[in-house]
């Protein structure tokens, strides 16, 4: 599935290996070397051939094992050496996965590069909650945004553009920025009682979900979660889950009742 000297950016999905595409599983198994993110699920990594090299180049909040330029060099050097290269990224490579930088690195080095998409965290979180991200007549738009910030900094986000009561907002890497997300959206006009769902480790056995309100989001993000990656879903499409206590096959709690 991979020609020698070629790079594939492969979406590992949210962690559950059953959510991998068949193509992704085949590419992982066929690779000579796999450069993987820190958030790639352990069960997904087990699909890597025992004969293949496995290299962690993962980034976690405040703990970067390799800078982006170094990752690009490692990937292109491996391809230049004739290896079948997979760059394994959590979720979908094209959604906050820095795919563009690595595509540019491959193009600059004259290395063929292709993308295999994956299930993104927002979709997995909605599936865990048993809700739809869109709702006819109520949630007409779906917006993905990252609120990742360095310690002590404030995310540079157009809150006025995001405070749409007819949209569902999926906030990636937003636990640390939860106070800014809540304050920014409320100041821009979104109702304080807008339903919010936080899902940590979506799709995995240890996932944790919590349904609350926008004004209570900072408290929920601070007190209810562990150290795993989380996605925050905001919008009226979640109102039914908040009112009916939709069954979630994991530890689940509710705030603001």
């Amino acid at each position: 599935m991979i020609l020698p000297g070629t790079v594939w950016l492969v979406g590992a999905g949210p962690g559950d290996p059953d959510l991998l595409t068949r193509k992704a599983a085949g590419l992982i198994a066929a690779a000579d070397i796999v450069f993987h993110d820190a958030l790639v699920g352990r069960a997904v990594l087990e699909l890597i051939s025992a004969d293949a090299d496995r290299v962690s180049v993962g980034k976690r909040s405040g703990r970067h094992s390799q800078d982006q330029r170094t990752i690009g060099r490692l990937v292109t050097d491996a391809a230049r050496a004739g290896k079948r290269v997979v760059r394994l990224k959590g979720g979908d490579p094209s959604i906050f996965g820095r795919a563009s930088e690595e595509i540019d690195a491959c193009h600059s080095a004259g290395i063929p590069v292709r993308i295999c998409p994956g299930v993104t965290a927002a979709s997995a979180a909605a599936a865990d909650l048993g809700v739809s991200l869109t709702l006819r007549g109520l949630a007409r738009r779906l917006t993905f945004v990252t609120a990742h910030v360095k310690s002590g900094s404030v995310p540079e986000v157009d809150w006025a553009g995001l405070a749409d009561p007819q949209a569902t907002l999926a906030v990636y890497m937003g636990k640390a920025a939860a106070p800014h997300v809540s304050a920014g959206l409320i100041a821009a006009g979104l109702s304080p009682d807008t339903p919010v769902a936080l899902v940590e480790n979506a799709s995995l056995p240890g996932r944790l979900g919590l349904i609350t309100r926008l004004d209570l989001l900072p408290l929920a993000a601070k007190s209810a979660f562990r150290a795993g990656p989380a996605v925050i879903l905001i919008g009226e499409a979640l109102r039914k889950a908040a009112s009916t206590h939709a069954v979630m096959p994991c530890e689940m709690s509710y705030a603001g009742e």
Side-chain angles (χ1 to χ4, degrees), residues 159 163 169 171 178-197 211-220 232-235 255:
W159 298 117
L169 183 62
V171 184
H180 303 296
V181 173
S182 176
L185 290 174
I186 291 173
L190 203 59
S191 174
D193 73 348
T194 300
V196 173
I211 294 178
T212 185
R213 301 162 29 131
L214 183 58
D215 55 352
L216 298 177
L217 172 59
L219 176 62
I232 303 172
L233 304 178
I234 302 169

Side-chain angles (χ1 to χ4, degrees), residues 191-204:
S191 174
D193 73 348
T194 300
V196 173
L198 298 89
V199 180
E200 183 180 82
N201 292 320
S203 85
L204 295 174

Side-chain angles (χ1 to χ4, degrees), residues 7-201:
V7 173
W8 276 84
L9 307 184
V10 176
D16 181 353
D18 290 337
L19 292 180
L20 282 173
T21 65
R22 292 175 61 185
K23 186 169 190 174
L27 290 166
I28 293 168
D32 295 320
I33 185 167
V34 177
F35 298 92
H36 64 88
D37 284 349
L39 296 180
V40 172
R42 184 179 304 173
V44 175
L45 295 177
E46 291 175 357
L47 300 176
I48 300 172
S49 169
D51 297 326
D53 293 322
R54 182 190 301 189
V55 182
S56 174
V57 292
K59 298 187 178 79
R60 295 295 298 269
S61 179
R63 305 191 304 275
H64 290 191
S65 65
Q66 302 286 353
D67 61 60
Q68 196 60 45
R69 181 175 297 181
T70 299
I71 294 172
R73 178 178 54 78
L74 291 171
V75 168
T76 54
D77 284 353
R80 194 179 286 114
K83 293 187 177 183
R84 299 172 175 87
V85 181
V86 161
R87 174 67 175 98
L88 193 56
K89 293 175 170 288
D92 184 288
S94 299
I95 299 178
F96 308 124
R98 294 201 168 186
S100 181
E101 291 96 321
E102 294 175 27
I103 292 169
D104 289 345
C106 289
H107 287 169
S108 296
I111 302 297
V113 57
R114 297 183 67 183
I115 299 175
C116 178
V119 174
T120 191
S123 297
D128 284 343
L129 289 164
V131 300
S132 174
L133 290 171
T134 59
L135 198 60
R136 185 169 58 183
L138 188 61
R140 300 173 179 270
R141 184 158 61 96
L142 173 61
T143 302
F144 294 162
V145 62
T146 175
H148 176 66
V149 294
K150 294 181 179 179
S151 179
S153 62
V154 177
E156 297 180 2
V157 178
D158 177 15
W159 298 117
L162 296 175
D164 182 353
Q166 290 194 321
T168 301
L169 183 62
V171 184
Y172 287 67
M173 298 169 278
K175 274 195 297 188
H180 303 296
V181 173
S182 176
L185 290 174
I186 291 173
L190 203 59
S191 174
D193 73 348
T194 300
V196 173
L198 298 89
V199 180
E200 183 180 82
N201 292 320

